[in-house]
Amino acid sequence: MKRFNIILFLLALVVLTVEAKDLRVAGIFGNNMVLQQKTTTPIWGWADAGAIVTVTSSWNDKSYSVKVGKDGTWRIMLHTPEAGGPYVLTITEDKTITFSDVYIGEVWLASGQSNMAMQLKECYESTKAILASQKSNIRFINVPPLGSYKPLPDIKADWVVAAPENVGDCSAVAWYFAHFIQENLGVPVGIINASFGGSIVETWMSRETCQTLGDISVPEVSDGTTGWEANIPTTMYNGMLNPIVGYCIQGCIWYQGESNVYNVSQYSNRLVAMVAEWRRKWGRNFPFYFTQIAPFDYATWNVPSEVGEHLRDEQRKSMDRIENSGMAVILDVGEVEQIHPVRKEKVGERLGLMALAEVYNMKGFEYKSPVFERMEVDDDKAVIYFKDLYYGLTSYGKPLHLFEIADESKVFHPAEAYVDEERDVVVVSSKYVRKPKAVRYAFKNYVEPELFSLSGLPVSSFRTDNW
C-alpha cells in the first residue's frame, strides 16, 4: 500500500512538472490577430519560472527573449512596422507556438452595454454591410461575456477574419466604425469587443477605483463568476477587461449609459474615473470616443420620467472633463419604444469621423456635432452660442419647437426660436418670460431633433441651468 502511494505521488509530480513547464500565450493573442502599427506592443503569457521564452516576428526576422519570472509570467515587447501582412509570430520555450495570418494595422477597443454588444445581423438593412465584409481586411475578437468577483488572468477567444459567414456576430457599432475608418485609411483594422448587455458603468471599474469613489457597494473578492448579472460593480472589469489590459490599442469607442438612468447624478463622475483608470492601466492617454444615448421613452422602466435627458446631459458635460475625448450625438436614431435602435450605421460612422479627424489627422470635413457653449441675454431674448461649428446651423427651414425658456421662477415655457444664420446662433424667447434665466433644448426622454449642423449632424440636447 505504501509503495502504491509513492507511485501515485511520483505520477502526480510528473504531471505537475509537465503542467508547470507548459508554455502558454495569453488568449487575446492568436491566429488572424491585428497588432497596432508603428509602436511597441507587448505579448505575454506563462511558462516555468526561470525558463527563457523567445518570440520571433517575421516582419523583421528579429527574436526577442526574456526570462520567466518567479510567478511564472513573461512579457516581451515587440516593435511593429507600418501596416501590412500577413506575418507570422513564433513563440518558443519547451515547445513552439506559431501564430499565422497576423496583420499590422489599427486596433480599437469597443466596450459598453447592449447597444455596443448588439450584433450586426440584428440591425436594420445589415445585408449590404455583411456582403461588403468579403472585401475588407477587418478582424475582430469577442471577449466572452463573463463577470467575475476577482480579476481573471486570461480569456478563451479567437480572432475572426470578417467574412459574410461570420461578420454578423461582430458588434454592429464596432463593425460600422471599423469599416468606415478602413475605407478612408486603407489599412487592416482590428476590433476587440468587450461589451456586456445591461452593464452599469460601475461594473467596468476595478475594486480599487470603485472604493475611491466612496459611495459604491463593492462585492467581496471571491472565486465566483456571473454570466448574467450586469449591475454588480467591478465584475465586468475583472472578467472581461483585466485579461486584455495592455494589448496595444489605438483608442476606445464606448456605448453605454442606459442602465445608469437609476443614478444619473453620479454618472459623469464615474465615467471620468473609469476612463482615467483604463488609461493608467494601458499606460497611455488613448482617445476615448463615446456615444450619447439615444432618445427613448423610459416610462415603462419605473424611473422618473426625465431621466433620459438628464443622462444625456451628464454625458455632454463629461466631454469637457475627459481630455482627448468626443461624443457621437444620435438624437436622430432613437426609437420611442425600443431601447436598442436598429440603425447602427450612423453611430459607427460618427465615432469614425472623430477618429479620422483627431487621430489620423484627416481634414476638410465636419466631424463633431455642435454643442452648447454659452447663453447671453439680449433684453427679453436668450441668445444661444455653440461650439464645434464647422459650416453652420440649420433647421432645414422647419420651425423649432423643442426650445423652452424660463425666468427666475424656474418654470419653463415653450419658446419661440429661430436660427440667426449670420451669427450661427439660436435666438429664444417667450411672451411669458421677460427676463430669461435658462434655456433648454430637446430636453425630454424621447425627441426627434430639429437643429443640425449644415452637414447633417444633430445638435446635442442641452440645458443652460443646473436646477
mmCIF file of all heavy atoms in Angstrom, residues 10 16 33 45 63 71 77 80 130-131 134-135 139 143 149-150 152 154-155 163 242 245 268 300 332 366 369 409:
data_model
loop_
_atom_site.group_PDB
_atom_site.id
_atom_site.type_symbol
_atom_site.label_atom_id
_atom_site.label_comp_id
_atom_site.label_asym_id
_atom_site.label_seq_id
_atom_site.Cartn_x
_atom_site.Cartn_y
_atom_site.Cartn_z
ATOM 1 N N LEU A 10 4.617 10.072 -7.308
ATOM 2 C CA LEU A 10 5.564 10.333 -8.375
ATOM 3 C C LEU A 10 4.850 10.671 -9.680
ATOM 4 O O LEU A 10 5.269 11.561 -10.442
ATOM 5 C CB LEU A 10 6.485 9.128 -8.572
ATOM 6 C CG LEU A 10 7.469 8.856 -7.418
ATOM 7 C CD1 LEU A 10 8.221 7.557 -7.666
ATOM 8 C CD2 LEU A 10 8.449 10.017 -7.267
ATOM 9 N N LEU A 16 2.437 17.470 -12.623
ATOM 10 C CA LEU A 16 2.611 18.856 -12.206
ATOM 11 C C LEU A 16 3.803 19.491 -12.901
ATOM 12 O O LEU A 16 3.768 20.657 -13.303
ATOM 13 C CB LEU A 16 2.776 18.941 -10.686
ATOM 14 C CG LEU A 16 1.516 18.673 -9.864
ATOM 15 C CD1 LEU A 16 1.868 18.607 -8.383
ATOM 16 C CD2 LEU A 16 0.469 19.758 -10.110
ATOM 17 N N MET A 33 -4.878 37.684 -35.783
ATOM 18 C CA MET A 33 -4.977 38.914 -34.999
ATOM 19 C C MET A 33 -4.388 40.106 -35.762
ATOM 20 O O MET A 33 -3.647 39.960 -36.728
ATOM 21 C CB MET A 33 -4.256 38.762 -33.656
ATOM 22 C CG MET A 33 -2.766 38.578 -33.740
ATOM 23 S SD MET A 33 -2.047 38.384 -32.083
ATOM 24 C CE MET A 33 -0.402 37.774 -32.516
ATOM 25 N N GLY A 45 2.422 35.867 -21.462
ATOM 26 C CA GLY A 45 1.874 34.554 -21.184
ATOM 27 C C GLY A 45 2.499 33.940 -19.963
ATOM 28 O O GLY A 45 2.950 34.648 -19.052
ATOM 29 N N SER A 63 14.405 38.276 -33.130
ATOM 30 C CA SER A 63 13.975 37.468 -31.989
ATOM 31 C C SER A 63 14.162 38.270 -30.705
ATOM 32 O O SER A 63 15.155 38.991 -30.546
ATOM 33 C CB SER A 63 14.776 36.167 -31.914
ATOM 34 O OG SER A 63 14.510 35.358 -33.037
ATOM 35 N N ASP A 71 6.848 34.212 -10.653
ATOM 36 C CA ASP A 71 5.407 33.923 -10.621
ATOM 37 C C ASP A 71 4.931 33.176 -11.859
ATOM 38 O O ASP A 71 3.732 32.948 -12.044
ATOM 39 C CB ASP A 71 4.617 35.220 -10.461
ATOM 40 C CG ASP A 71 4.853 36.204 -11.612
ATOM 41 O OD1 ASP A 71 5.720 35.926 -12.465
ATOM 42 O OD2 ASP A 71 4.178 37.252 -11.642
ATOM 43 N N MET A 77 8.272 42.834 -25.364
ATOM 44 C CA MET A 77 7.843 43.981 -26.152
ATOM 45 C C MET A 77 8.351 43.837 -27.588
ATOM 46 O O MET A 77 9.540 43.620 -27.819
ATOM 47 C CB MET A 77 8.380 45.276 -25.543
ATOM 48 C CG MET A 77 8.020 45.464 -24.071
ATOM 49 S SD MET A 77 6.233 45.452 -23.735
ATOM 50 C CE MET A 77 5.745 46.976 -24.547
ATOM 51 N N THR A 80 6.613 47.061 -33.911
ATOM 52 C CA THR A 80 5.808 46.781 -35.100
ATOM 53 C C THR A 80 6.069 47.805 -36.197
ATOM 54 O O THR A 80 6.302 48.989 -35.926
ATOM 55 C CB THR A 80 4.308 46.778 -34.760
ATOM 56 O OG1 THR A 80 3.951 48.041 -34.179
ATOM 57 C CG2 THR A 80 3.973 45.664 -33.787
ATOM 58 N N ILE A 130 -22.913 43.109 -44.477
ATOM 59 C CA ILE A 130 -22.406 41.736 -44.373
ATOM 60 C C ILE A 130 -21.733 41.316 -45.674
ATOM 61 O O ILE A 130 -20.648 40.725 -45.670
ATOM 62 C CB ILE A 130 -23.556 40.788 -43.982
ATOM 63 C CG1 ILE A 130 -23.976 41.043 -42.534
ATOM 64 C CG2 ILE A 130 -23.146 39.332 -44.179
ATOM 65 C CD1 ILE A 130 -25.222 40.293 -42.098
ATOM 66 N N LEU A 131 -22.354 41.632 -46.809
ATOM 67 C CA LEU A 131 -21.757 41.281 -48.103
ATOM 68 C C LEU A 131 -20.452 42.043 -48.344
ATOM 69 O O LEU A 131 -19.501 41.508 -48.911
ATOM 70 C CB LEU A 131 -22.747 41.566 -49.230
ATOM 71 C CG LEU A 131 -23.948 40.620 -49.313
ATOM 72 C CD1 LEU A 131 -24.950 41.117 -50.339
ATOM 73 C CD2 LEU A 131 -23.489 39.208 -49.654
ATOM 74 N N GLN A 134 -16.602 40.809 -47.296
ATOM 75 C CA GLN A 134 -15.706 39.902 -48.021
ATOM 76 C C GLN A 134 -14.562 40.651 -48.698
ATOM 77 O O GLN A 134 -13.543 40.064 -49.056
ATOM 78 C CB GLN A 134 -16.484 39.085 -49.036
ATOM 79 C CG GLN A 134 -17.196 39.882 -50.112
ATOM 80 C CD GLN A 134 -18.121 39.021 -50.944
ATOM 81 O OE1 GLN A 134 -17.808 37.870 -51.232
ATOM 82 N NE2 GLN A 134 -19.275 39.546 -51.322
ATOM 83 N N LYS A 135 -14.712 41.969 -48.871
ATOM 84 C CA LYS A 135 -13.665 42.765 -49.489
ATOM 85 C C LYS A 135 -12.855 43.549 -48.461
ATOM 86 O O LYS A 135 -11.985 44.334 -48.815
ATOM 87 C CB LYS A 135 -14.281 43.729 -50.511
ATOM 88 C CG LYS A 135 -14.948 43.035 -51.686
ATOM 89 C CD LYS A 135 -15.492 44.052 -52.674
ATOM 90 C CE LYS A 135 -16.162 43.356 -53.851
ATOM 91 N NZ LYS A 135 -16.713 44.338 -54.834
ATOM 92 N N ARG A 139 -10.548 42.343 -38.790
ATOM 93 C CA ARG A 139 -10.597 41.174 -37.915
ATOM 94 C C ARG A 139 -11.180 41.604 -36.571
ATOM 95 O O ARG A 139 -10.963 42.737 -36.135
ATOM 96 C CB ARG A 139 -9.186 40.601 -37.704
ATOM 97 C CG ARG A 139 -8.677 39.812 -38.923
ATOM 98 C CD ARG A 139 -7.763 40.635 -39.805
ATOM 99 N NE ARG A 139 -7.439 39.934 -41.055
ATOM 100 C CZ ARG A 139 -6.609 38.912 -41.165
ATOM 101 N NH1 ARG A 139 -5.963 38.443 -40.082
ATOM 102 N NH2 ARG A 139 -6.375 38.346 -42.321
ATOM 103 N N VAL A 143 -14.618 39.270 -26.686
ATOM 104 C CA VAL A 143 -14.275 38.803 -25.350
ATOM 105 C C VAL A 143 -15.507 38.137 -24.751
ATOM 106 O O VAL A 143 -16.597 38.729 -24.746
ATOM 107 C CB VAL A 143 -13.805 39.973 -24.466
ATOM 108 C CG1 VAL A 143 -13.527 39.503 -23.049
ATOM 109 C CG2 VAL A 143 -12.558 40.625 -25.076
ATOM 110 N N TYR A 149 -15.817 37.980 -9.615
ATOM 111 C CA TYR A 149 -15.636 38.686 -8.346
ATOM 112 C C TYR A 149 -14.166 38.854 -7.977
ATOM 113 O O TYR A 149 -13.857 39.351 -6.904
ATOM 114 C CB TYR A 149 -16.397 37.960 -7.237
ATOM 115 C CG TYR A 149 -17.889 38.057 -7.404
ATOM 116 C CD1 TYR A 149 -18.611 37.047 -8.037
ATOM 117 C CD2 TYR A 149 -18.589 39.178 -6.978
ATOM 118 C CE1 TYR A 149 -19.980 37.137 -8.226
ATOM 119 C CE2 TYR A 149 -19.954 39.291 -7.161
ATOM 120 C CZ TYR A 149 -20.654 38.271 -7.779
ATOM 121 O OH TYR A 149 -22.003 38.380 -7.972
ATOM 122 N N LYS A 150 -13.292 38.455 -8.867
ATOM 123 C CA LYS A 150 -11.868 38.730 -8.706
ATOM 124 C C LYS A 150 -11.267 38.891 -10.098
ATOM 125 O O LYS A 150 -11.817 38.359 -11.072
ATOM 126 C CB LYS A 150 -11.156 37.614 -7.948
ATOM 127 C CG LYS A 150 -11.036 36.299 -8.708
ATOM 128 C CD LYS A 150 -10.240 35.270 -7.913
ATOM 129 C CE LYS A 150 -10.058 33.980 -8.721
ATOM 130 N NZ LYS A 150 -9.315 32.951 -7.955
ATOM 131 N N LEU A 152 -9.555 38.169 -13.342
ATOM 132 C CA LEU A 152 -9.153 36.944 -14.034
ATOM 133 C C LEU A 152 -7.928 37.224 -14.902
ATOM 134 O O LEU A 152 -7.797 38.314 -15.461
ATOM 135 C CB LEU A 152 -10.294 36.416 -14.894
ATOM 136 C CG LEU A 152 -11.580 36.033 -14.155
ATOM 137 C CD1 LEU A 152 -12.617 35.491 -15.130
ATOM 138 C CD2 LEU A 152 -11.305 35.024 -13.054
ATOM 139 N N ASP A 154 -6.994 35.568 -17.753
ATOM 140 C CA ASP A 154 -6.993 35.197 -19.161
ATOM 141 C C ASP A 154 -8.411 34.989 -19.674
ATOM 142 O O ASP A 154 -9.371 34.890 -18.894
ATOM 143 C CB ASP A 154 -6.175 33.917 -19.354
ATOM 144 C CG ASP A 154 -5.631 33.768 -20.763
ATOM 145 O OD1 ASP A 154 -5.734 34.726 -21.544
ATOM 146 O OD2 ASP A 154 -5.104 32.684 -21.083
ATOM 147 N N ILE A 155 -8.528 34.925 -20.985
ATOM 148 C CA ILE A 155 -9.795 34.628 -21.657
ATOM 149 C C ILE A 155 -9.565 33.507 -22.661
ATOM 150 O O ILE A 155 -8.426 33.173 -22.999
ATOM 151 C CB ILE A 155 -10.353 35.856 -22.401
ATOM 152 C CG1 ILE A 155 -9.357 36.317 -23.488
ATOM 153 C CG2 ILE A 155 -10.699 36.972 -21.445
ATOM 154 C CD1 ILE A 155 -9.927 37.326 -24.462
ATOM 155 N N ALA A 163 -15.960 37.993 -42.690
ATOM 156 C CA ALA A 163 -16.465 37.473 -43.956
ATOM 157 C C ALA A 163 -17.982 37.316 -43.815
ATOM 158 O O ALA A 163 -18.502 37.298 -42.692
ATOM 159 C CB ALA A 163 -15.807 36.129 -44.283
ATOM 160 N N ASN A 242 -9.672 43.015 -17.372
ATOM 161 C CA ASN A 242 -8.367 42.708 -16.781
ATOM 162 C C ASN A 242 -7.540 41.738 -17.633
ATOM 163 O O ASN A 242 -6.324 41.923 -17.771
ATOM 164 C CB ASN A 242 -8.554 42.135 -15.369
ATOM 165 C CG ASN A 242 -7.236 41.977 -14.639
ATOM 166 O OD1 ASN A 242 -6.609 42.951 -14.225
ATOM 167 N ND2 ASN A 242 -6.790 40.752 -14.456
ATOM 168 N N VAL A 245 -5.955 43.883 -20.623
ATOM 169 C CA VAL A 245 -5.264 45.159 -20.381
ATOM 170 C C VAL A 245 -3.820 45.050 -20.859
ATOM 171 O O VAL A 245 -3.107 44.111 -20.507
ATOM 172 C CB VAL A 245 -5.308 45.534 -18.893
ATOM 173 C CG1 VAL A 245 -4.288 46.630 -18.593
ATOM 174 C CG2 VAL A 245 -6.692 46.001 -18.500
ATOM 175 N N SER A 268 -21.468 61.087 -14.502
ATOM 176 C CA SER A 268 -20.307 61.772 -15.059
ATOM 177 C C SER A 268 -19.054 61.501 -14.230
ATOM 178 O O SER A 268 -17.991 61.192 -14.769
ATOM 179 C CB SER A 268 -20.562 63.281 -15.141
ATOM 180 O OG SER A 268 -19.460 63.934 -15.728
ATOM 181 N N THR A 300 -41.770 53.067 -18.968
ATOM 182 C CA THR A 300 -42.018 51.686 -18.544
ATOM 183 C C THR A 300 -40.925 51.149 -17.618
ATOM 184 O O THR A 300 -40.994 50.011 -17.179
ATOM 185 C CB THR A 300 -42.130 50.768 -19.773
ATOM 186 O OG1 THR A 300 -40.898 50.818 -20.508
ATOM 187 C CG2 THR A 300 -43.271 51.215 -20.675
ATOM 188 N N ASP A 332 -31.075 61.501 -33.701
ATOM 189 C CA ASP A 332 -31.887 61.179 -34.872
ATOM 190 C C ASP A 332 -32.028 59.690 -35.137
ATOM 191 O O ASP A 332 -32.597 59.299 -36.169
ATOM 192 C CB ASP A 332 -31.310 61.860 -36.110
ATOM 193 C CG ASP A 332 -29.833 61.554 -36.334
ATOM 194 O OD1 ASP A 332 -29.169 61.115 -35.380
ATOM 195 O OD2 ASP A 332 -29.343 61.762 -37.462
ATOM 196 N N GLU A 366 -16.616 68.118 -41.505
ATOM 197 C CA GLU A 366 -17.169 68.290 -40.164
ATOM 198 C C GLU A 366 -17.205 66.930 -39.476
ATOM 199 O O GLU A 366 -17.623 65.945 -40.080
ATOM 200 C CB GLU A 366 -18.574 68.869 -40.268
ATOM 201 C CG GLU A 366 -19.213 69.230 -38.942
ATOM 202 C CD GLU A 366 -20.531 69.941 -39.154
ATOM 203 O OE1 GLU A 366 -21.414 69.336 -39.795
ATOM 204 O OE2 GLU A 366 -20.683 71.074 -38.710
ATOM 205 N N SER A 369 -20.724 66.965 -33.664
ATOM 206 C CA SER A 369 -21.980 67.703 -33.563
ATOM 207 C C SER A 369 -21.760 69.004 -32.799
ATOM 208 O O SER A 369 -20.996 69.033 -31.826
ATOM 209 C CB SER A 369 -23.031 66.871 -32.824
ATOM 210 O OG SER A 369 -23.546 65.848 -33.635
ATOM 211 N N SER A 409 -38.282 82.192 -11.853
ATOM 212 C CA SER A 409 -39.276 81.311 -11.232
ATOM 213 C C SER A 409 -38.960 79.838 -11.472
ATOM 214 O O SER A 409 -39.554 78.968 -10.842
ATOM 215 C CB SER A 409 -40.666 81.620 -11.779
ATOM 216 O OG SER A 409 -40.782 81.200 -13.139
#
